[in-house]
Amino acid sequence: MEILKQRPSRNPKEVLTFALLVFLSSITLLTTLGVILSLVGDVAQFFRRVPLTEFLFAPEWTPLFADPRYGISPLIAGTFLVTLIALLVAVPLGLALAIYLSEYASGAARARIKGTLELFEGIPTVVFGYFALLFVTPLLQRVIPDLNIFNPLSAGLVMGFAIIPYISNVAADAMESVPRSIREAAYALGARPYEVALRVVFPAAISGIIAAIILATSRAIGETMIVAIAAGQRPILTLDPRETIATMTSYIVQAATGDQPTGSTGFYALFAVGFTLFLLTLFLNILAQYVVERYRERYE
Amino acid sequence: MVSLEMLKEHETVRTAPVSEAEALVDVRGLSLWYGKKQALYDISVRFPRNQVTAIIGPSGCGKSTLLRSLNRMNDLVPGVRVEGEVLYEGVNIYDPRVDPVAVRRHIGMVFQKPNPFPKTIFENVAFGLRLMGVKGSELEDRVVEALKRAALWNEVQDRFKKESGLRLSGGQQQRLCIARAIAVEPPLLLMDEPTSALDPIATQAIEDLIQELKTRYTVVIVTHNMQQAARVSDRTLFMHLGVLVEEGPTEVLFTKPKHPYTEAYITGRFG
Amino acid sequence: MNRTLSSPSPEAFGTDPWKTRIDRTFARALVLPLVLAIGLLVLLLGDTLYRSVSVQVVRADEGPGRTYPFGLAATEVLRQELLARGYTEEEARSLLQDPTERRVLFLQNRVELMWNTQEGPFRYVVTGLRDERVADFSLLEGLRRWEELKAGLGEGERLVLNPWLDQSFLTRTPSRSPLTAGIGVAIWGTIWVLSLALLIAIPVGIGTAILLEEYLREGTLNRILEVNLRNLAGVPSIVYGLLGLAIFVREMGLGPTILSAALTLGLLGIPVIVVTARESLRAVPESLRQAAFALGATRRQVVFRVVVPAALPGMVTGVILSAARLIGEAAPLLLVGAAAYVPFYPTGPLSEYTVIPVQIYLWVSMNIPEFARVAAAGILVMLLVLSGLYFLALYLRNRFRREW
């Protein structure tokens, strides 16, 4: 009979389509491979010239000096400082917004707020950098007279706003997935809305909330344009938010836009810093995924 | 309580069994597993040509699963495993040389909820025909023919090339899905609770349609509504917990059920 | 204190005013971040708009600093300016008729419409490459001192209310002088880079999404691809820049060209497009796939004749939003050559280039007040483009929204 045809897996069109799709998606794997390979080669070059101990423990980062030092700690300190300031802004605001979105906003309001957040996310960071340098810094200088023009304070403050959506979206998703029945149980015991939000929903969604904060941290560490414009490019080992500093990302920008001859140690230092940045953000992303998987409450 | 062990030991009770010559589909010893869970237990039954056979039973009894094994839709479920044979016109559709895609082109199916494609009415009905390579004026003629046979033509003839199938009412959508299924002239039409999402008037229209259809097609219909089974079908199968408990002419099964479980179900004591 | 429940009396159901107040305050406090965020947006936009307009006193390098009435053709304005600079009729005509001379003349002298001048509102001025800024005031201060400034104008000086974002700003090439700097080269660079990047990111992104949603919903390959995509999405964009620098610019020898930038940006765009495309595929109800399979469609036919057409509006919206994201990316492109000073329009994939956000970065980091005005004008251009895309996506999303 007619239905006794070949198995579909041997149909050449089907096989070809599948092969094409596999080929296309393999490019995403090649990208990861490319990132790692491109960094590893040049990082190896760097460490052939600069000992790892120097990179990790030297207190100065001065690749352009006559006697260059390659200690990454000033860049780490700068990154840490800006990230900390950004999180101090973004965590309370982002979490408050998430609670509002998941517990208080009506359907229409939620859609509108999410639209606004989408808009916020869509603003290029170079615009935030411009705003930090030319609007926020002069404003802050009136309050803090010895604030440097380039400073981590205004860069961090503005970056805090820029990463609010990353926290509020993920945290709101986590809180929204807490089942209705749990809320109703709390209400039935006479809890008030704020008690339900803070004592029931918030703890139940804690793993998602922690993941949101970790992801936002990773964003802040990797954020480039705001710090390159507003925080400055002077690697100094300090935690004073009024001083000009440099972060890992702003150093990469500085080195790449300056005239570092290809093949010089300074050029390879670029990749060493980039690799450190890559490892740090990768670690945070994996940590966030781990937290979600490991501590997910199961409602079934 | 009804236990699986008790049922499994039982032979299926058959009244006026269908002969091999009358049968379009002959299911022989069909068992089916979803992963480790067995959903059908050794089912043997024949579906006679140009008749309507209804499958009834409480929810989760495997009636949809049995229906979906008749056109190998269950193959799409990951981890499914089948034993036994389903002979369609004498050919075992589970033979390893058989292409399930070809099987489905021979057998039409209508689902619980109307599921028209987000395309025009015309394109919906033409979909199966296009897969078979029908083109041009023949395509058009056969689409119109199918819409007429599904009793939808009068309502949509002035707009069927422009309007999306999603703009129709629920009952119209379901008749569109029937038209889509019968456009390729399948000898066998499977219906999985086709009226469960419809209001009584639309249900009436579909039931009338089923009576029309059986002059040309063999119909197997799964329903949770016993009145419906009594109204539209010639033969009825009663299933429970994956076991075929009893089968026979509809009036016999509904008026003189032989198996105690069938009787309990018919009289509304469980299900 | 007695903490056990007493038998119900009317008082037991009374309100606790203290708790009610906490409740209300809490609900109000939660709106605060939204107010702050919107406030920041308003300030940002307001500051950019305000900075993009200024009152200036400019000394012309040559000529008398004249202005010309609104409505004249650019060539006519330039002819009159040449005459005013002391050229004869004859010389002016021959300069303007020779195509090469004419091009150079227009590159060095920009005809611009000013909102106000010492000779009245809405008049053209001709800005030369070597014109010199005498003073630059913010809008309010400039308007307040307008008369005073007008009285103090010297020989060859003009007083203008300059909207930095005007038509000629969109077509001008970069320049060392803020008065003649424009964003034209960067706009074309962005168009080139973005189109080529999407040419890579769309097929790979959508193909991967189809594979994950329609072919491999589980299994090892699905796991690997998913984990990889999630990690790629978290890689800072500047690291993609390092990849581009190491592989495309150096290893493949493409140099600091549009092609290198497009490849880099394309890779960066893939995870974003995968996410949105998967969402729209997932929104297609399973019953449609079942219906198509039941009609005897093969996997490929189900996917490409039913599922993808049904998901298309969502995918298009997703691609537009991803494109908007990519337009604003500056960091990775800084590493693959966008930071260069490029005074020429790009002619092909191997041209040197710059893009809008990088151009803005370069202007901001000049740290000269007037370049900040140029940067503000550039930001307005970029935000206009982005909001255009955003509203297009919003329109498509609403226009093709389906109720299944």
Side-chain angles (χ1 to χ4, degrees), chain A residues 1-8, chain B residues 91 96-100 102 106:
Chain A
M1 244 190 96
E2 200 190 334
I3 56 174
L4 282 169
K5 282 186 186 161
Q6 279 197 318
R7 298 284 303 164
Chain B
V91 178
R97 288 167 300 169
V98 166
D99 180 353
H106 275 255

Side-chain angles (χ1 to χ4, degrees), chain C residues 84-401:
Chain C
R85 286 183 190 173
Y87 289 76
T88 65
E89 257 332 311
E90 198 66 20
E91 287 167 333
R93 194 173 327 118
S94 74
L95 275 176
L96 285 168
Q97 270 166 0
D98 186 291
T100 327
E101 292 283 1
R102 194 188 139 93
R103 220 176 66 84
V104 173
L105 208 57
F106 268 97
L107 273 176
Q108 293 176 343
N109 300 281
R110 286 288 170 178
V111 179
E112 285 178 275
L113 185 66
M114 295 296 163
W115 285 355
N116 202 357
T117 67
Q118 81 274 17
E119 292 178 83
F122 289 104
R123 291 176 72 86
Y124 291 115
V125 302
V126 176
T127 310
L129 267 184
R130 282 183 295 275
D131 283 3
E132 207 179 307
R133 187 260 306 176
V134 178
D136 181 278
F137 300 101
S138 66
L139 185 62
L140 287 179
E141 190 183 0
L143 288 182
R144 194 156 42 78
R145 295 174 55 184
W146 185 266
E147 291 305 324
E148 173 199 334
L149 290 169
K150 192 167 158 183
L153 281 183
E155 180 68 17
E157 288 181 349
R158 57 177 189 262
L159 172 66
V160 291
L161 174 53
N162 187 0
W164 291 83
L165 173 57
D166 58 10
Q167 197 195 340
S168 76
F169 176 71
L170 299 179
T171 53
R172 286 194 303 250
T173 55
S175 163
R176 272 178 302 275
S177 159
L179 289 173
T180 51
I183 204 167
V185 169
I187 288 179
W188 280 101
T190 288
I191 292 173
W192 268 103
V193 171
L194 183 71
S195 339
L196 291 179
L198 289 179
L199 227 52
I200 300 159
I202 290 175
V204 175
I206 290 185
T208 306
I210 290 175
L211 188 77
L212 288 176
E213 286 301 315
E214 306 295 326
Y215 284 82
L216 306 168
R217 290 205 188 165
E218 46 200 29
T220 323
L221 187 53
N222 175 296
R223 274 301 285 169
I224 293 175
L225 285 171
E226 284 221 20
V227 168
N228 179 52
L229 279 168
R230 222 177 301 156
N231 288 329
L232 271 186
V235 172
S237 64
I238 196 161
V239 173
Y240 283 87
L242 288 172
L243 163 102
L245 174 62
I247 294 187
F248 304 134
V249 176
R250 284 194 300 151
E251 206 65 46
M252 290 166 63
L254 298 174
T257 57
I258 283 178
L259 193 56
S260 297
L263 289 167
T264 309
L265 213 54
L267 296 185
L268 181 59
I270 290 168
V272 192
I273 291 187
V274 172
V275 169
T276 55
R278 286 185 75 178
E279 268 168 27
S280 22
L281 288 171
R282 230 174 286 154
V284 175
E286 203 56 30
S287 67
L288 288 192
R289 294 181 183 89
Q290 297 260 328
F293 274 122
L295 287 166
T298 61
R299 174 74 65 179
R300 182 178 53 86
Q301 287 165 331
V302 172
V303 170
F304 289 97
R305 294 196 190 188
V306 175
V307 180
V308 169
L312 203 58
M315 286 189 183
V316 172
T317 308
V319 166
I320 293 175
L321 289 176
S322 318
R325 214 38 73 77
L326 292 183
I327 286 180
E329 276 295 344
L333 298 187
L334 281 172
L335 273 70
V336 292
Y341 171 76
V342 185
F344 306 110
Y345 279 83
T347 53
L350 293 177
S351 296
E352 295 196 328
Y353 71 101
T354 190
V355 292
I356 300 173
V358 170
Q359 185 68 72
I360 292 168
Y361 165 71
L362 293 175
W363 284 331
V364 173
S365 54
M366 297 249 186
N367 207 12
I368 299 169
E370 281 160 305
F371 266 114
R373 302 201 182 284
V374 181
I379 288 175
L380 289 180
V381 171
M382 182 160 67
L383 292 184
L384 279 175
V385 172
L386 292 184
S387 44
L389 287 175
Y390 185 76
F391 284 112
L392 179 66
L394 215 63
Y395 168 78
L396 287 175
R397 194 187 285 173
N398 292 332
R399 169 81 177 68
F400 293 100
R401 172 171 297 158

